[in-house]
Amino acid sequence: QVQVVESGGGLVQAGGSLRVSCTASGTIFEIGAMGWYRQAPGKQRELVASITRGGATNYADSVKGRFTISRDNRKNTVTLQMNSLEVEDTAVYYCKARLSSYGPEYWGKGTLVTVSI
């Protein structure tokens, strides 16, 4: 069994910064790709950023240059540093972790990020 838990959401003013983190725990041999997704009210869940075990990253165009994803393979954690936040970044942010390269995927329950004017 694998648990994925996010932390670090909250309220921030536009232009500010926030960091969200995620930890995978449980019966884990190796965590493969990890990623952050978000879902705003009335919208579909979308990819924000992802990172492979080797450190290769991928970002949504809307966050390039503002967000940075990183991970610690020893601790099975992934962090999303969000700078220059915009009101449009307001959403529930979800973490996803895949067991090994082709194993099952596990989702966290999400953490709310609210960006105010």
Side-chain angles (χ1 to χ4, degrees):
Q1 193 73 2
V2 177
Q3 296 80 41
V4 177
V5 179
E6 304 96 337
S7 62
L11 174 65
V12 64
Q13 285 190 324
S17 297
L18 202 62
R19 180 181 298 176
V20 290
S21 296
C22 166
T23 299
S25 62
T27 306
I28 298 173
F29 172 68
E30 182 179 277
I31 294 290
M34 302 183 80
W36 285 97
Y37 293 71
R38 67 186 181 187
Q39 187 167 17
K43 295 187 177 182
Q44 290 187 331
R45 191 174 298 188
E46 61 176 1
L47 173 69
V48 176
S50 64
I51 184 167
T52 67
R53 184 171 180 79
T57 59
N58 180 47
Y59 294 94
D61 287 343
S62 59
V63 306
K64 283 181 181 178
R66 300 189 297 122
F67 291 11
T68 301
I69 190 170
S70 60
R71 66 186 287 170
D72 184 330
N73 290 334
R74 294 174 302 171
K75 298 180 179 179
N76 292 328
T77 61
V78 62
T79 298
L80 185 68
Q81 176 67 42
M82 302 180 288
N83 299 327
S84 301
L85 281 160
E86 302 170 353
V87 173
E88 292 74 23
D89 295 317
T90 296
V92 177
Y93 283 70
Y94 297 91
C95 177
K96 185 177 77 172
R98 180 187 289 274
L99 284 187
S100 69
S101 298
Y102 302 102
E105 296 175 330
Y106 295 87
W107 290 88
K109 293 183 179 180
T111 184
L112 178 62
V113 172
T114 303
V115 184
S116 63
I117 297 175

